[in-house]
Amino acid sequence: MNDAVARETMIDTQVRPNDVTDRRIHTALQAVPREAFLPKSRHSLAYAEFDHQTSEGRYMWRARDFAKLLEAAKIKPTDEVLDIASGSGYSSAILSYLAAAVVGLEDDEAIAEAASARLDALNIDNADVVAGDIKKGLADQGPYDVIIVNGAVEIVPTEWTDQLKDGGRLAVVVREGKVSQARIYTRAGDALSCRSAFDTAPPALPGFEKTASFVF
């Protein structure tokens, strides 16, 4: 099975059956080669239905969960998007097909540079990955219409929600105990609302754990 057929099969078996109906997302998933964002040793498994580790604490999510999060975020072609913990750059590549501009954010400069090189190799000119503190977001290039977080967190930093435009959405998986839910936080003026989109269990994003408390 060649890679183009593998991508179509992934969409038909993992994405469409899980209520992802936005054809723009299907098109993006078909256009971006997952294998280009994975080590060569994992190319043959690029379209398998599991999460791929790309570096320490960073994963390329299974297509089902990532596609559902994107659909819940309701990304428009005019949106400016911040892609937090973008890892190897795959998420930023997909987002580039959905939004006007995408900036990926990574803690490690070498990882950010490698991700940007992968985007350049695919001639993606409306997305880039930069180095910075993912806990603080990227205020100097904000505010944003959409912020996507690649990993489950227990704590949602206020810096992220503070960088949303009026009407902006933060799409993030929040873990509470053994339960993880994709949530959409939406800003309306000074107010912030939240809705649960679906249950899921992607890998945790390190550094966003709640501090353990003693129980007497």
Side-chain angles (χ1 to χ4, degrees):
M1 182 185 299
N2 65 40
D3 292 330
V5 173
R7 286 195 288 278
E8 187 63 40
T9 300
M10 177 188 73
I11 295 165
D12 287 342
T13 61
Q14 301 176 35
V15 177
R16 285 193 175 99
N18 284 288
D19 301 321
V20 178
T21 59
D22 188 338
R23 292 184 179 179
R24 296 171 59 238
I25 296 175
H26 300 169
T27 298
L29 292 171
Q30 180 65 61
V32 177
R34 284 169 71 90
E35 65 277 5
F37 296 87
L38 290 171
K40 287 185 178 180
S41 62
R42 302 190 66 82
H43 281 192
S44 63
L45 299 172
Y47 300 96
E49 195 171 0
F50 54 80
D51 305 301
H52 296 276
Q53 186 170 12
T54 58
S55 59
E56 185 67 30
R58 299 293 184 267
Y59 289 82
M60 178 191 291
W61 290 12
R62 63 188 68 196
R64 167 198 178 272
D65 292 344
F66 186 54
K68 285 177 74 69
L69 188 69
L70 296 181
E71 181 147 287
K74 300 185 184 302
I75 300 168
K76 299 187 291 291
T78 54
D79 283 346
E80 296 178 340
V81 179
L82 175 63
D83 186 28
I84 290 177
S86 51
S88 65
Y90 177 76
S91 54
S92 295
I94 295 294
L95 287 163
S96 75
Y97 283 80
L98 306 176
V102 181
V103 56
L105 183 61
E106 261 303 338
D107 287 324
D108 186 283
E109 186 170 352
I111 291 175
E113 290 178 354
S116 290
R118 294 184 188 99
L119 297 175
D120 289 343
L122 293 174
N123 297 315
I124 294 173
D125 59 9
N126 66 331
D128 193 17
V129 180
V130 301
D133 188 343
I134 63 172
K135 292 182 179 179
K136 294 181 179 179
L138 197 63
D140 62 348
Q141 294 194 37
Y144 305 94
D145 298 289
V146 177
I147 298 176
I148 298 288
V149 181
N150 292 277
V153 302
E154 294 181 357
I155 298 171
V156 177
T158 57
E159 287 88 346
W160 294 352
T161 53
D162 287 346
Q163 290 171 35
L164 292 173
K165 294 180 182 179
D166 190 18
R169 288 87 64 204
L170 166 66
V172 57
V173 175
V174 179
R175 180 173 294 174
E176 293 182 347
K178 295 182 179 180
V179 178
S180 297
Q181 287 185 331
R183 295 180 182 176
I184 307 298
Y185 294 82
T186 303
R187 176 165 294 285
D190 293 331
L192 195 69
S193 62
C194 176
R195 67 178 177 87
S196 295
F198 59 95
D199 293 340
T200 183
L205 186 60
F208 295 87
E209 301 84 5
K210 290 182 178 178
T211 302
S213 57
F214 291 102
V215 178
F216 296 95

